[in-house]
Amino acid sequence: MKHVIIGNGIAGVCAAEAIRILDATADITMIGDETFPPYSRPMISHVLDGSQPHSKLPIRSDHFYDELKITPLLGQRASAIDVDNKQVHLADGTRVNFERLLIATGADPRPLKAEGLDLKNIFYMRTQDHVKQQVAALDGARRAVVLGGGLVGFKAAYGLLKRGLEVTMLITSGYPLSMQVDQTAGHMILDELVHHGLKVEVGVSACAFEGNGSVQVAVTDAGTRLPCDMVIVGKGVLPARTFIPKDRIDLDLGVVVDDHLQTSAPDIYAAGDVAESVDIARACRWVNALWPEAASQGRVAGLNMAGRPVAYPGSLSRNVMRVFGLDVLTVGNANPQEDAGCRVVETGGADKKYYRHLVLKDDILVGVVMINRIEQGGVLRSLIENRIPIRLPPEILITPGFNFGRLLS
Amino acid sequence: MKQVVVHPERCVGCMQCMLACATAHSRSLTLFAAVQETPQPKPRIHVGAGRFNEGFPNRCRHCDPAPCQMACLAGAIYRRDSMDTVMINPDRCINCASCAMACPYGVIRFHEDPLGPVGHAIAVKCDNCSARVAKGQVPACVEVCKAGALTYEEMDAAMRRKTRTVARSMSVDTDPPAIPAGVALLKSIKQSELQLSGS
Ligand SMILES: Cc1cc2nc3c(=O)[nH]c(=O)nc-3n(C[C@H](O)[C@H](O)[C@H](O)COP(=O)(O)OP(=O)(O)OC[C@H]3O[C@@H](n4cnc5c(N)ncnc54)[C@H](O)[C@@H]3O)c2cc1C
Ligand code: SF4
Ligand code: SF4
């Protein structure tokens, strides 16, 4: 069997490993844009904040491709898929034949539309190379502007604050991480960041940058001019799917997959940040661009490609963040629509340094936000993921002493 | 291969296993010296209170495949096949707690550990007492548990025994499930205390 995997992020890597477990002799080719050994993408934010060296990013051996007998085709992007002839086209004109194909191309930063983007020291934050440049730019930098209050914008602002810079964050919603957490938790996070020196401007973005070679001023769409030595753009990501023929493979925001992670085209699978599966908590199609989902989707796709049918139960949005003195954990749908018929149970709050926010639909848990004492978060995640009807009063789930044992007996 | 088997119904909540575990994961390996170490060694088995305040010993199940391993952002979690044990590499862990969200049993804790890097909190959990087992000892929690709530046995044997106990409890006129008399007494005292206190 000839397997081709486009993308050498965690989804592609886990798929290759799964194929190899089931089939020692299959032909595996990996096409990847980045030439660096397989590495932890989330960890680039730890390199930015100075808590981890760049050298610790790789998460597989330097000989990963050799050890798994994979043919690597690195350093260029796939430019097209010929579904009928089962071929992948590369930018340099090469054509690669496949019998089974995995699209694991991840996501690219959502591009910003603004003037002056070609100035130095304006960065996106997605790759090890980006963070290398960011760290180099820290030298002599005093002030930074971060665009976006989502996961990446938040991590960028946090990292730069930890490096001692004066950071201004521009967010369009009222508080950071508004997709992940509810309002109470959002304000607790915001207060913690502000307490550590973050300046926040809500409801604005940047429309232009000025400087003499390097960026010196960010101009907001409210007309404010913010002096700065560097800018990080973290306004979300878009699935990397522009090379996929949309008349042959169903695309929505991401590449639509079925419960075996196969696309609408036979023998072509998708996994990771590029794939759109079903969100368990929201019960609709959704792209959950997250590391644990990418890893397990990669594994499941690989098993299916190698001939062992394995169903994928769906994905969940979930996150853990450490924000100075706060530990924040969120799973599922923290902000249900008013009319969704959900019930919310809460305890704690800003003055307690402890907060719990559970969202239930009938007796099924669909969302959780926890601040501090997050060790039992996985138990709650498992209840959401497996849609286990909650027979206990939900108040028990929000007490500090809650543990797995309480679910039994 | 032998494994630690938990029998929650026998747990009296004495927490001796927690002390023994902390000691087994200290630098000095004796209780007396361990309490004076910095950082303080901490247990990797956690006796929480169940719904009726009964003891519930909770420890890593060394799942296969392990959800924590799949979720680890730093590639710090791996399986040591020879011991059927899921391990965390303290030098790779970045303390991101992604594993806490993945573990369905809530058995991972985050703190500085005597066996980890100095001055850094990391993820810590049961390692099946690899160091003790390598020396031919049984895991510390099993050794100290006098209620029979933790045993160290071949998984097959444990499964067979559990099936027998369940079968027995479902048919009349046979032996009651094998909970020692003392344990049953302690449990009923705890239950009645609870009822008295009105919760
Ligand atoms: C700063 C940051 C922090 C994060 N923090 C967290 C976190 O705390 N928790 C969490 O769960 N997730 C986090 N994430 C998200 C996580 O990193 C992603 O979900 C995960 O890396 C997705 O893996 P993937 O394999 O699907 O895609 P990717 O890692 O994006 O890999 C895809 C690869 O394919 C390549 N590629 C793309 N198009 C082509 C093409 N046409 N041809 C060839 N190659 C191509 C790309 O260059 C890339 O190397 C974070 C991400 C960032 C950027
Ligand atoms: S830590 Fe939790 S998820 Fe990981 S192996 Fe142990 S029980 Fe399983
Ligand atoms: S806390 Fe450590 S072991 Fe847990 S997921 Fe993060 S890096 Fe991995």
Side-chain angles (χ1 to χ4, degrees):
Chain A
M1 183 63 75
K2 185 162 172 45
H3 297 279
V4 172
I5 298 172
I6 315 178
N8 52 351
I10 190 65
V13 165
C14 287
E17 289 171 341
I19 295 172
R20 201 37 101 217
I21 287 171
L22 292 188
D23 189 340
T25 58
D27 210 36
I28 306 176
T29 300
M30 283 182 90
I31 302 167
D33 180 21
E34 292 181 86
T35 51
F36 200 71
Y39 68 99
S40 170
R41 195 170 300 290
M43 249 175 96
I44 65 173
S45 52
H46 295 79
V47 176
L48 180 65
D49 75 20
S51 64
Q52 297 293 329
H54 188 278
S55 59
K56 274 208 176 171
L57 288 178
I59 50 164
R60 295 291 188 273
S61 99
D62 287 351
H63 309 290
F64 171 78
Y65 300 105
D66 284 349
E67 281 163 10
L68 274 114
K69 295 191 265 59
I70 295 167
T71 312
L73 290 175
L74 306 181
Q76 60 177 324
R77 288 208 164 201
S79 56
I81 300 173
D82 181 339
V83 175
D84 294 325
N85 295 310
K86 292 203 159 178
Q87 277 186 334
V88 178
H89 298 192
L90 303 191
D92 68 1
T94 315
R95 304 200 163 186
V96 185
N97 295 315
F98 65 84
E99 286 171 273
R100 302 261 155 85
L101 175 69
L102 178 67
I103 303 169
T105 47
D108 292 317
R110 187 187 293 272
L112 180 73
K113 289 192 197 77
E115 280 168 45
L117 279 171
D118 50 348
L119 290 168
K120 264 181 67 179
N121 296 344
I122 300 177
F123 306 104
Y124 289 104
M125 187 164 166
R126 181 72 190 175
T127 65
Q128 58 82 26
D129 196 44
H130 291 154
V131 78
K132 208 188 262 174
Q133 295 174 33
Q134 289 163 1
V135 170
L138 286 174
D139 197 16
R142 214 159 52 77
R143 286 171 298 207
V145 169
V146 171
L147 308 186
L151 192 61
V152 170
F154 154 77
K155 290 200 173 189
Y158 180 69
L160 294 172
L161 276 178
K162 285 196 85 174
R163 290 279 193 169
L165 272 70
E166 267 177 45
V167 184
T168 307
M169 191 185 200
L170 309 185
I171 52 183
T172 35
S173 54
Y175 52 89
L177 302 168
S178 57
M179 285 296 286
Q180 281 87 8
V181 301
D182 66 299
Q183 198 169 350
T184 310
H187 283 289
M188 286 172 77
I189 295 168
L190 184 58
D191 289 350
E192 184 75 7
L193 289 168
V194 169
H195 177 73
H196 283 87
L198 182 75
K199 295 198 192 103
V200 180
E201 302 215 1
V202 298
V204 289
S205 188
C207 58
F209 301 96
E210 296 169 6
N212 185 4
S214 301
V215 66
Q216 287 167 327
V217 174
V219 185
T220 72
D221 43 20
T224 335
R225 297 170 59 81
L226 302 166
C228 56
D229 311 307
M230 66 189 288
V231 173
I232 297 184
V233 183
K235 296 189 71 78
V237 294
L238 289 173
R241 58 171 182 60
T242 46
F243 67 103
I244 300 169
K246 61 173 181 289
D247 53 334
R248 302 305 309 274
I249 298 177
D250 279 355
L251 299 180
D252 186 34
L253 174 61
V255 180
V256 177
V257 290
D258 67 13
D259 60 356
H260 287 73
L261 302 180
Q262 192 166 207
T263 67
S264 60
D267 297 329
I268 302 183
Y269 295 75
D273 283 9
V274 76
E276 179 170 313
S277 63
V278 167
D279 182 293
I280 297 173
R282 295 181 172 91
C284 64
R285 280 201 330 226
W286 203 269
V287 179
N288 278 312
L290 293 164
W291 181 269
E293 297 298 353
S296 64
Q297 287 176 13
R299 182 172 175 277
V300 169
L303 294 174
N304 281 303
M305 289 165 72
R308 179 188 292 177
V310 177
Y312 178 72
S315 64
L316 264 186
S317 74
R318 39 156 136 179
N319 262 293
V320 190
M321 285 145 292
R322 305 215 189 247
V323 194
F324 295 106
L326 298 182
D327 295 337
V328 182
L329 184 148
T330 85
V331 191
N333 188 0
N335 292 313
Q337 306 251 298
E338 288 278 328
D339 57 1
C342 290
R343 182 161 60 110
V344 171
V345 187
E346 288 178 345
T347 184
D351 48 334
K352 304 261 183 349
K353 288 257 164 195
Y354 170 87
Y355 178 60
R356 291 285 181 277
H357 168 97
L358 303 190
V359 183
L360 292 115
K361 170 112 187 165
D362 304 319
D363 59 352
I364 305 276
L365 192 61
V366 296
V368 171
V369 179
M370 307 169 95
I371 292 190
N372 290 345
R373 305 182 72 167
I374 58 171
E375 293 84 357
Q376 304 301 321
V379 180
L380 299 177
R381 184 213 32 90
S382 165
L383 293 175
I384 297 179
E385 189 164 301
N386 298 302
R387 299 186 64 76
I388 296 170
I390 310 285
R391 308 220 187 283
L392 301 170
E395 287 69 24
I396 291 187
L397 302 184
I398 58 177
T399 56
F402 169 73
N403 63 50
F404 179 77
R406 303 236 164 144
L407 298 176
L408 310 174
S409 65
Chain B
M1 192 180 311
K2 283 193 171 175
Q3 295 205 325
V4 177
V5 184
V6 182
H7 314 270
E9 71 285 0
R10 287 165 163 259
C11 174
V12 295
C14 69
M15 302 191 182
Q16 288 298 317
C17 52
M18 293 174 67
L19 271 181
C21 177
T23 309
H25 296 93
S26 67
R27 276 194 228 109
S28 58
L29 300 181
T30 68
L31 177 59
F32 181 70
V35 290
Q36 310 198 36
E37 284 177 26
T38 358
Q40 277 248 312
K42 295 211 169 85
R44 297 162 179 221
I45 181 165
H46 312 279
V47 179
R51 194 137 57 101
F52 304 107
N53 228 13
E54 74 281 20
F56 180 82
N58 200 11
R59 68 192 281 286
C60 172
R61 271 61 161 188
H62 301 280
C63 317
D64 189 10
C68 58
Q69 181 180 2
M70 208 100 77
C72 177
L73 300 185
I77 305 186
Y78 62 101
R79 170 172 290 279
R80 187 180 279 172
D81 283 322
S82 63
M83 291 193 60
D84 222 351
T85 297
V86 174
M87 301 284 285
I88 301 180
N89 178 347
D91 296 314
R92 279 219 60 103
C93 172
I94 57 174
N95 193 34
C96 66
S98 185
C99 51
M101 185 193 50
C103 173
Y105 304 106
V107 296
I108 308 177
R109 296 293 178 276
F110 303 88
H111 49 76
E112 192 182 341
D113 191 76
L115 309 179
V118 178
H120 292 285
I122 48 164
V124 181
K125 68 165 195 69
C126 166
D127 61 354
N128 271 338
C129 270
S130 322
R132 287 175 57 96
V133 172
K135 287 189 273 179
Q137 297 171 296
V138 302
C141 55
V142 173
E143 187 175 82
V144 79
C145 180
K146 297 292 179 282
L150 300 165
T151 54
Y152 191 51
E153 49 191 316
E154 297 293 338
M155 222 24 196
D156 285 4
M159 286 304 244
R160 268 199 301 278
R161 216 161 30 73
K162 282 239 156 168
T163 320
R164 257 202 316 272
T165 317
V166 172
R168 252 203 312 256
S169 65
M170 290 200 308
S171 51
V172 282
D173 272 355
T174 47
D175 310 339
I179 296 179
V183 175
L185 180 63
L186 241 165
K187 288 206 154 206
S188 65
I189 293 174
K190 279 200 158 184
Q191 291 269 355
S192 53
E193 265 177 0
L194 223 87
Q195 275 154 14
L196 280 177
S197 66
S199 50

